[in-house]
Amino acid sequence: MDRETVLATAARLVKRHGPQALTMRALAAELGTAVTSIYWHVGNRESLLDALVERTLADLGEIRATGRTPAQRVASVARALRRQLLDHPHLVAMVHERGLTERMFLPAQRTLVHEVHEAGLRGVRAAEAVRAVQIHVVGHVLVERNRERAPVQRPGEDELWTAQAAEQDGALARALAGPLDPEALFATSVRALVAGLLGPAP
Amino acid sequence: MDRETVLATAARLVKRHGPQALTMRALAAELGTAVTSIYWHVGNRESLLDALVERTLADLGEIRATGRTPAQRVASVARALRRQLLDHPHLVAMVHERGLTERMFLPAQRTLVHEVHEAGLRGVRAAEAVRAVQIHVVGHVLVERNRERAPVQRPGEDELWTAQAAEQDGALARALAGPLDPEALFATSVRALVAGLLGPAP
DNA sequence: ACCTGAACACCGTTCAAGT
DNA sequence: ACCTGAACACCGTTCAAGT
């Protein structure tokens, strides 16, 4: 057996059943070895998961901007980053538990810096724009992934907003009562955020 | 002993040492009873934490908007919501683990609907604006709280951005290398987001 | 250099038995 | 109605002993 084998097998288990299913005993069973052998190769569970996260992060491909206008291109980076994170369902949770969200930003950061520069932003304002977009994306994905595994919500937006017409705005009440389309909402909020960031300084 | 006593004691333990420190055995020790008595009162650990979250959420005060312009008032709601969440350090994590982020929105939702209406938005666009702000706030707080307990980050923005001057923009490189001011960044991103949301439709 | 089993110190939970 | 201790089925980790 091999440190490589341990990591690969662990990655398979995580991919299939999530990080919480990765117990040292289950991993040992899958490897066909004693539990304690694992410790020789990876130290302990914590550093095993660290290695898994690092490896997944390293495998994420470059992010490229598309679109014509600067605003479109910055927004496209945000969408691509979100796509990447959603494509690795357990990555976000693992990174979050490990406090490594900053590390998760890096792949997109260089691209964002470039596009924000193209848009004419410089210095501190450019840095703020880059970080604002990054945090928005990661935060959005965190909330989004969270909603997926959410149980039925009590009180629930539906009950609250169907009964009482929200300030006489039936369409709004229906929209808030209805399900949330994360894809559309993300597109809207990123467009708004980027417009605000690239727009005239306050 | 009393269900009320159990909840109060559990809340105290969580407040002091975080949710992960709330073990049934530790709680029993604090209560001076057998571990198994707790089960009679609260079912199990999961529903105990559920009750704790629900209770904290219920204790959150009303959110009021301040400021003159609609944009300022919407942004003030976002800031107030963030403040509330940061004032309950463990709440956000517990809500997140439980998939209840939607539930956490509700206290601010009515206020946001009102302010967005005042700003002239109606129907689906108003609903989108409300939800965009909500998700931005909760997502931002999640990332922010995460950063606090983050260990030193390797590679780390600093190393990456001091050496190579980012596209000949020294000020930007320094800003990205330096520490992040969450308060300021939140203010900036919310202002931008709200401006974009309340601005002219695309 | 690598693997092993036994043991330790934890968990949450169930259950039959008490009062 | 409420509390108890014993027991079960899990954890991660350490360690001395093997090859």
Side-chain angles (χ1 to χ4, degrees):
Chain A
M1 194 176 55
D2 194 310
R3 181 187 154 90
E4 180 53 37
T5 330
V6 176
L7 289 181
T9 311
R12 231 176 54 229
L13 284 185
V14 167
K15 190 166 191 176
R16 229 186 305 154
H17 302 108
Q20 88 292 344
L22 182 72
T23 70
M24 302 303 267
R25 284 170 163 88
L27 179 54
E30 190 77 12
L31 286 164
T33 64
V35 198
T36 42
S37 315
I38 303 172
Y39 285 81
W40 198 91
H41 291 287
V42 298
N44 54 24
R45 184 169 188 272
E46 194 57 21
S47 42
L48 168 57
L49 284 172
D50 283 351
L52 250 38
V53 167
E54 199 47 55
R55 164 173 296 223
T56 313
L57 246 21
D59 281 353
L60 295 185
E62 190 92 6
I63 284 186
R64 263 185 297 276
T66 62
R68 272 177 18 262
T69 71
Q72 280 171 356
R73 293 178 66 79
V74 173
S76 80
V77 174
R79 281 198 310 273
L81 177 55
R82 167 170 173 275
R83 217 2 82 216
Q84 262 195 359
L85 302 184
L86 288 182
D87 282 346
H88 298 81
H90 301 117
L91 178 64
V92 192
M94 288 170 73
V95 165
H96 185 249
E97 278 156 23
R98 249 138 267 286
L100 293 174
T101 48
E102 191 162 347
R103 170 71 183 76
M104 200 156 58
F105 292 162
L106 294 181
Q109 196 166 72
R110 242 177 295 259
T111 312
L112 270 177
V113 163
H114 180 73
E115 295 303 332
V116 158
H117 247 204
E118 290 289 316
L121 262 52
R122 291 290 180 279
V124 177
R125 263 200 87 199
E128 275 187 344
V130 168
R131 280 176 159 164
V133 171
Q134 288 173 334
I135 291 198
H136 182 78
V137 174
V138 177
H140 201 283
V141 171
L142 275 171
V143 175
E144 199 174 329
R145 288 263 318 139
N146 191 261
R147 271 189 61 94
E148 288 172 23
R149 56 163 177 153
V152 186
Q153 310 252 345
R154 341 135 276 170
E157 289 179 331
D158 39 358
E159 306 167 32
L160 271 160
W161 291 109
T162 40
Q164 74 185 86
E167 314 218 345
Q168 279 84 40
D169 189 339
L172 179 141
R174 274 191 303 280
L176 283 180
L180 186 151
D181 178 350
E183 194 87 23
L185 186 57
F186 182 77
T188 303
S189 61
V190 162
R191 215 182 298 120
L193 178 67
V194 171
L197 288 170
L198 301 189
Chain B
M1 194 175 55
D2 196 314
R3 183 188 154 89
E4 181 52 38
T5 329
V6 177
L7 289 181
T9 310
R12 232 176 51 228
L13 284 185
V14 167
K15 190 165 191 176
R16 229 186 305 155
H17 304 108
Q20 89 291 344
L22 182 72
T23 69
M24 301 305 266
R25 282 170 164 88
L27 179 54
E30 190 76 11
L31 286 164
T33 63
V35 199
T36 41
S37 316
I38 303 171
Y39 285 82
W40 199 91
H41 291 287
V42 298
N44 55 23
R45 183 169 188 273
E46 194 57 19
S47 41
L48 167 58
L49 284 172
D50 283 352
L52 251 38
V53 167
E54 199 47 52
R55 163 173 298 224
T56 313
L57 246 22
D59 280 353
L60 295 184
E62 192 91 6
I63 284 185
R64 264 185 295 277
T66 63
R68 271 178 19 262
T69 72
Q72 281 172 355
R73 294 180 65 79
V74 173
S76 79
V77 173
R79 282 198 310 273
L81 177 55
R82 167 172 173 275
R83 218 359 85 214
Q84 262 195 359
L85 302 184
L86 289 182
D87 282 346
H88 298 81
H90 301 116
L91 178 65
V92 192
M94 287 170 72
V95 165
H96 186 248
E97 279 156 23
R98 248 139 267 287
L100 294 174
T101 47
E102 191 163 346
R103 170 71 183 78
M104 201 156 56
F105 291 162
L106 294 181
Q109 197 167 71
R110 243 178 293 259
T111 312
L112 269 177
V113 162
H114 179 74
E115 295 303 332
V116 159
H117 247 202
E118 290 290 314
L121 263 53
R122 290 290 180 279
V124 177
R125 263 201 86 201
E128 274 186 345
V130 167
R131 280 175 159 164
V133 171
Q134 288 174 334
I135 291 198
H136 183 77
V137 174
V138 177
H140 201 283
V141 171
L142 275 169
V143 175
E144 199 174 324
R145 289 260 321 139
N146 191 260
R147 271 189 61 97
E148 289 172 23
R149 54 160 180 157
V152 186
Q153 309 251 345
R154 343 133 275 174
E157 290 180 330
D158 41 357
E159 306 167 34
L160 271 161
W161 292 111
T162 40
Q164 74 184 87
E167 313 218 345
Q168 279 83 41
D169 189 338
L172 179 140
R174 273 193 303 280
L176 283 180
L180 186 149
D181 178 351
E183 193 86 25
L185 187 56
F186 182 77
T188 302
S189 61
V190 161
R191 214 182 300 121
L193 177 67
V194 171
L197 287 171
L198 302 189

